[in-house]
Amino acid sequence: MIRPRALLLDFGGVIVQTGKRPSWAAELAAEVHGLLAGAGFDALTAEEVEGDIRAGARADSSWKNAASRRIAPEELTHRRFWAEFVAADWPDQARTLVTVEATALCKRMGELRSDRKIRPGTEELLAACREHAVTPAVVSNALCGAVHRDFLARTGLDRQVAAQVYSDEVGVRKPNPEMILLACRALGVDPADVWYVGDTHDRDVVCGARAGVGATVLMVSPSTDKMPYPVRQIPQATVEDPRGLLNLLEATWT
């Protein structure tokens, strides 16, 4: 394991642990129904809106699994998600309205869908990186990266990372190596001099290998074993949590 100049971290499963909120779709549907009603549209019930939001989310999940097989997948735009995955069969007025409001709705969906808390040991990990001249950054797929930015700002972790790269903001998604390469260019480091840390095989481990990073580290999370299909690429190391990652780094500092 090389001594890295930079540490690129996935958001969900690495920096934070998430838990789905059972009521998220109903809450979002109520807000969307209110948006439609405010524009004078009343042909859809809140229950119908909720059903289409849930169907769109499931379709999006299947699309992401398929996208991970591609060499350089692009990200689904906010507008396309709402126009094609949620509102494809809605009347024109309703579909147009949610398409116009797609970015705000994706952000609201991200806020409502999951509870987030920092994985124990993350603050110590980031502080130690700074002390040893290792630059931390975030590289993450996201329906709406603004949700992640807001979380890091609320917790103060935004001051501990030098850059944040989110798929919806840059138009490509892991395992597209451009996600990692963008972060490397922003930090002024060679991919061979960084570690990339993620919690999935088909997105993260593959992305690190394609980008030619110095080491890909798999951090175990509830998503780790939910592989849609096996991949050939393997990580250089596996850790259980941020403290395990810090221990792995400390071995390169001695």
Side-chain angles (χ1 to χ4, degrees), residues 146-167:
V147 176
H148 300 347
R149 291 182 182 276
D150 288 350
F151 178 88
L152 294 179
R154 286 196 304 273
T155 58
L157 291 184
D158 61 324
R159 297 189 294 273
Q160 300 293 327
V161 297
Q164 299 180 53
V165 179
Y166 297 112
S167 60

Side-chain angles (χ1 to χ4, degrees), residues 168-231:
D168 71 304
E169 297 174 356
V170 299
V172 297
R173 62 179 286 108
K174 296 176 296 183
N176 191 325
E178 184 65 10
M179 288 284 289
I180 288 174
L181 300 180
L182 279 168
C184 289
R185 291 196 292 270
L187 300 179
V189 297
D190 190 278
D193 293 325
V194 311
W195 287 9
Y196 177 66
V197 186
D199 67 321
T200 62
H201 293 269
D202 60 303
R203 276 95 158 155
D204 298 316
V205 175
V206 173
C207 190
R210 289 179 177 174
V213 297
T216 302
V217 180
L218 182 69
M219 185 180 293
V220 176
S221 84
S223 298
T224 302
D225 291 331
K226 297 176 182 178
M227 294 185 290
Y229 36 73
V231 299

Side-chain angles (χ1 to χ4, degrees), residues 60 63-64 67 70 72-78 80 140-144 166-174 176 179:
D60 179 51
W63 179 88
K64 289 174 180 176
R70 299 173 60 198
E74 298 177 352
E75 184 55 280
L76 188 71
T77 67
H78 299 160
R80 188 178 177 196
S140 181
N141 288 345
L143 175 68
C144 185
Y166 297 112
S167 60
D168 71 304
E169 297 174 356
V170 299
V172 297
R173 62 179 286 108
K174 296 176 296 183
N176 191 325
M179 288 284 289

Side-chain angles (χ1 to χ4, degrees), residues 4-29:
R5 291 181 56 198
L7 185 69
L8 309 183
L9 302 167
D10 193 12
F11 182 81
V14 174
I15 293 175
V16 305
Q17 50 195 27
T18 62
K20 285 289 178 65
R21 300 180 62 255
S23 62
W24 74 270
E27 293 173 20
L28 181 59

Side-chain angles (χ1 to χ4, degrees), residues 12-171:
V14 174
I15 293 175
V16 305
Q17 50 195 27
T18 62
K20 285 289 178 65
R21 300 180 62 255
S23 62
W24 74 270
E27 293 173 20
L28 181 59
E31 294 185 14
V32 172
H33 189 258
L35 177 70
L36 297 173
F41 182 86
D42 60 2
L44 292 170
T45 67
E47 291 75 17
E48 289 171 329
V49 173
E50 179 182 352
D52 286 334
I53 287 173
R54 289 189 180 277
R58 287 193 295 271
D60 179 51
S61 179
S62 297
W63 179 88
K64 289 174 180 176
N65 288 339
S68 291
R69 286 295 299 169
R70 299 173 60 198
I71 184 65
E74 298 177 352
E75 184 55 280
L76 188 71
T77 67
H78 299 160
R79 289 169 61 89
R80 188 178 177 196
F81 172 77
W82 280 92
E84 298 184 14
F85 282 49
V86 176
D89 294 314
W90 291 7
D92 287 346
Q93 181 190 357
R95 186 172 59 254
T96 300
L97 183 56
V98 295
T99 302
V100 168
E101 297 292 335
T103 294
L105 290 174
C106 280
K107 184 178 182 185
R108 192 63 182 134
M109 181 173 172
E111 292 168 343
L112 291 171
R113 197 171 186 179
S114 301
D115 290 319
R116 299 170 181 86
K117 58 182 180 180
I118 301 170
R119 288 195 69 166
T122 299
E123 293 97 335
E124 295 90 334
L125 168 68
L126 296 176
C129 284
R130 290 296 188 179
E131 290 175 10
H132 290 84
V134 177
T135 306
V138 180
V139 176
S140 181
N141 288 345
L143 175 68
C144 185
V147 176
H148 300 347
R149 291 182 182 276
D150 288 350
F151 178 88
L152 294 179
R154 286 196 304 273
T155 58
L157 291 184
D158 61 324
R159 297 189 294 273
Q160 300 293 327
V161 297
Q164 299 180 53
V165 179
Y166 297 112
S167 60
D168 71 304
E169 297 174 356
V170 299

